[in-house]
Amino acid sequence: MKKTIKDYDLSGKKVIIRCDFNVPIENGIIKDESRIKKSLKTIRYARKQGAKVILMSHLGRVKTIEDKEKYTLKPVAERLSKLLRKKVKFINETRGQNLENAIDNMKDKDVILIENTRFEDLDGKKESNNDKELGKYWASLGDIFINDAFGTIHRSHASNLGIASNIPNGLGFLVEEEIKKLTKLTNKPRKPYTIILGGAKVSDKIGVISNLITKADYILIGGGMAFTFLKAAGFNIGSSLCEREKLSYCKEMLENYPDKLILPIDVITATEIKDNTKTHERFINEIEEDEMGLDIGPRTLEVFKQYLDDCKTIFWNGPVGCFETKGFENGTKELFEIITNTKAYTLVGGGDTARAATTFNYENKISHVSTGGGASLAFLEGIELPALKIINEKK
Ligand code: AMP
């Protein structure tokens, strides 16, 4: 068992909490604050115990100087101040005298948010490549490190693995909860157990398909990734997404597991991805050369429903259509309706799928919406998660 925040006396201590504030922000406005809200329990607990709370997080991918304006965590500090009803002091730097002075001047229960850890990526990818000196420096700012960012738990970054390698550490409530919920799927899941996979690419999901095909009863495939499978099965997919280098993998999987991998039988097509564009409902042998398949069709939903109705466990990662665009949201929306009407334990993972659950108002009807996409897939695949492994064991 891993140590958690509850295993430490936090009173008067400088507690660094690695949060996941990787939220969509447009022109300074936070579009979905669920990740911020999910981090509150750990932050509130640390404050209640009298800690000096130092928050860190990444936001987006920072590749150029211009990205700094787009990916500043300042709006998160403002939102957090309101949610906590306590001023969160924002430090617009990731290191230096100003940051160190601010920490030295903290009183118990004060909260500081440090600027986006990935700003350090502009200097030789120090955060993402777990630069040893950076991890050591950040660790020197606190007494205890709490990892509450599940979305990056499968990564070896300076702000998780790096800090944890240098000071006493434990898990926050959010990560503890994620692990408890995901373990229901790895430790003898109740059967029938069906997995739904969607999203853009097959390549992102190969690990999970190969690993879970023997553990789950069925894998239902939708989204852009379905078309590489459909092409491998011999269909003409027109201009739909296709990963040519993955065709032989898809073909082999379809040959080995013909009754377990379930593909769409009809799709919604269009010649452009645009709100309210002209769409067609096509059986998969009717897709025209200039058309892209952008959602699953109504007959596929009927087929998927048959596989899902009696399930006891359902895991879903990746939207089955371009749900962000009007005209291609129906498949994803209806699939939420289907799974939330079963008696199954339902677990939805991944940024886009979680966002779709919120958009269509199904968030509260699902047993667990995971904050991590890649992380939840890695957990289910049984891959070692470096930022979890490093956390101290309970004695
Ligand atoms: P991922 O990040 O791989 O989970 O992909 C999520 C994205 O896949 C969403 O933004 C969807 O719009 C997109 N998507 C879903 N279905 C399709 C499709 N049939 N063709 C192209 N993109 C799709």
Side-chain angles (χ1 to χ4, degrees):
M1 287 277 274
K2 294 291 181 190
K3 279 196 174 175
T4 74
I5 189 167
K6 286 200 153 177
D7 292 308
Y8 290 99
D9 174 6
L10 307 182
S11 175
K13 301 270 169 44
K14 286 178 276 181
V15 179
I16 301 175
I17 308 179
R18 172 59 163 98
C19 297
D20 181 359
F21 295 141
N22 187 28
V23 292
I25 300 180
E26 277 169 32
N27 301 322
I29 295 168
I30 299 168
K31 292 289 169 188
D32 178 0
E33 59 183 28
S34 6
R35 281 185 170 153
I36 304 179
K37 284 191 168 153
K38 287 189 179 184
S39 70
L40 293 176
K41 191 172 171 190
T42 302
I43 301 171
R44 283 193 179 124
Y45 176 84
R47 288 196 64 226
K48 207 165 168 204
Q49 301 299 309
K52 299 178 174 81
V53 182
I54 303 162
L55 305 175
M56 300 180 80
S57 175
H58 78 284
L59 174 62
R61 291 213 172 97
V62 182
K63 293 182 184 143
T64 60
I65 295 278
E66 290 74 53
D67 285 341
K68 281 182 135 184
E69 201 182 319
K70 196 157 113 204
Y71 293 124
T72 173
L73 280 172
K74 191 159 183 269
V76 173
E78 284 159 12
R79 190 67 199 120
L80 254 182
S81 301
K82 294 218 168 76
L83 290 166
L84 289 170
R85 294 205 195 106
K86 158 87 191 164
K87 170 91 186 139
V88 173
K89 191 173 164 86
F90 178 65
I91 308 293
N92 66 352
E93 285 158 340
T94 48
R95 59 168 90 205
Q97 200 60 56
N98 184 19
L99 168 63
E100 291 155 30
N101 290 346
I103 292 175
D104 284 344
N105 292 329
M106 283 178 93
K107 296 192 190 68
D108 293 354
K109 299 191 181 187
D110 275 357
V111 187
I112 274 183
L113 173 63
I114 299 180
E115 183 57 284
N116 186 355
T117 55
R118 288 203 183 152
F119 281 18
E120 289 285 343
D121 280 351
L122 289 173
D123 179 17
K125 287 207 143 238
K126 287 204 160 83
E127 153 73 329
S128 296
N129 287 342
N130 186 22
D131 178 84
K132 295 279 171 299
E133 289 309 313
L134 182 60
K136 213 186 249 179
Y137 170 70
W138 278 338
S140 75
L141 302 175
D143 303 307
I144 297 164
F145 174 67
I146 297 299
N147 192 348
D148 210 23
F150 184 71
T152 48
I153 204 101
H154 59 315
R155 304 278 184 219
S156 304
H157 291 169
S159 67
N160 52 26
L161 183 63
I163 305 179
S165 309
N166 287 287
I167 47 174
N169 54 64
L171 300 176
F173 295 117
L174 183 154
V175 171
E176 210 189 353
E177 172 91 352
E178 289 273 12
I179 291 170
K180 199 168 107 196
K181 297 285 168 68
L182 279 157
T183 304
K184 282 187 197 262
L185 272 60
T186 51
N187 188 11
K188 297 202 189 102
R190 293 177 65 217
K191 298 262 195 160
Y193 170 23
T194 293
I195 294 174
I196 308 165
L197 293 179
K201 290 195 196 150
V202 179
S203 41
D204 293 343
K205 309 273 162 45
I206 283 184
V208 77
I209 299 172
S210 302
N211 267 295
L212 296 186
I213 192 96
T214 50
K215 295 181 187 124
D217 294 289
Y218 302 103
I219 299 187
L220 315 181
I221 299 190
M225 65 180 282
F227 294 93
T228 307
F229 277 97
L230 287 168
K231 186 160 176 74
F235 292 100
N236 175 13
I237 58 165
S239 308
S240 310
L241 274 185
C242 178
E243 284 170 274
R244 297 195 170 276
E245 66 291 357
K246 296 292 174 266
L247 280 170
S248 58
Y249 169 82
C250 293
K251 195 155 185 267
E252 195 186 318
M253 292 306 279
L254 289 170
E255 277 163 11
N256 291 342
Y257 302 99
D259 303 326
K260 280 197 151 198
L261 281 172
I262 313 299
L263 300 179
I265 57 168
D266 66 342
V267 290
I268 307 298
T269 66
T271 53
E272 56 181 355
I273 308 180
K274 203 172 124 193
D275 282 340
N276 303 317
T277 191
K278 188 169 169 49
T279 62
H280 307 273
E281 211 177 285
R282 304 264 193 233
F283 279 109
I284 43 150
N285 57 356
E286 296 173 344
I287 303 174
E288 301 200 349
E289 219 44 64
D290 61 342
E291 292 176 357
M292 295 173 277
L294 297 171
D295 193 11
I296 55 172
R299 292 173 191 84
T300 302
L301 278 165
E302 278 170 32
V303 173
F304 281 10
K305 186 172 184 308
Q306 285 171 17
Y307 284 98
L308 294 164
D309 268 348
D310 299 327
C311 276
K312 298 261 168 49
T313 309
I314 298 170
F315 171 69
W316 180 5
N317 183 299
V320 292
C322 296
F323 76 96
E324 308 93 333
T325 311
K326 285 196 185 73
F328 310 108
E329 72 274 62
N330 191 57
T332 302
K333 197 167 155 183
E334 285 302 315
L335 214 41
F336 276 118
E337 183 65 19
I338 293 171
I339 67 164
T340 52
N341 275 301
T342 66
K343 296 203 167 68
Y345 180 79
T346 48
L347 202 150
V348 169
D352 289 309
T353 328
R355 194 149 44 86
T358 319
T359 309
F360 301 132
N361 282 322
Y362 283 96
E363 207 188 2
N364 297 328
K365 295 183 186 153
I366 292 158
S367 313
H368 181 63
V369 179
S370 174
T371 51
S376 61
L377 289 177
F379 189 94
L380 293 188
E381 284 170 45
I383 294 172
E384 193 176 277
L385 309 171
L388 178 63
K389 188 166 181 247
I390 188 79
I391 297 296
N392 303 151
E393 294 288 336
K394 284 192 200 211
K395 293 266 158 38

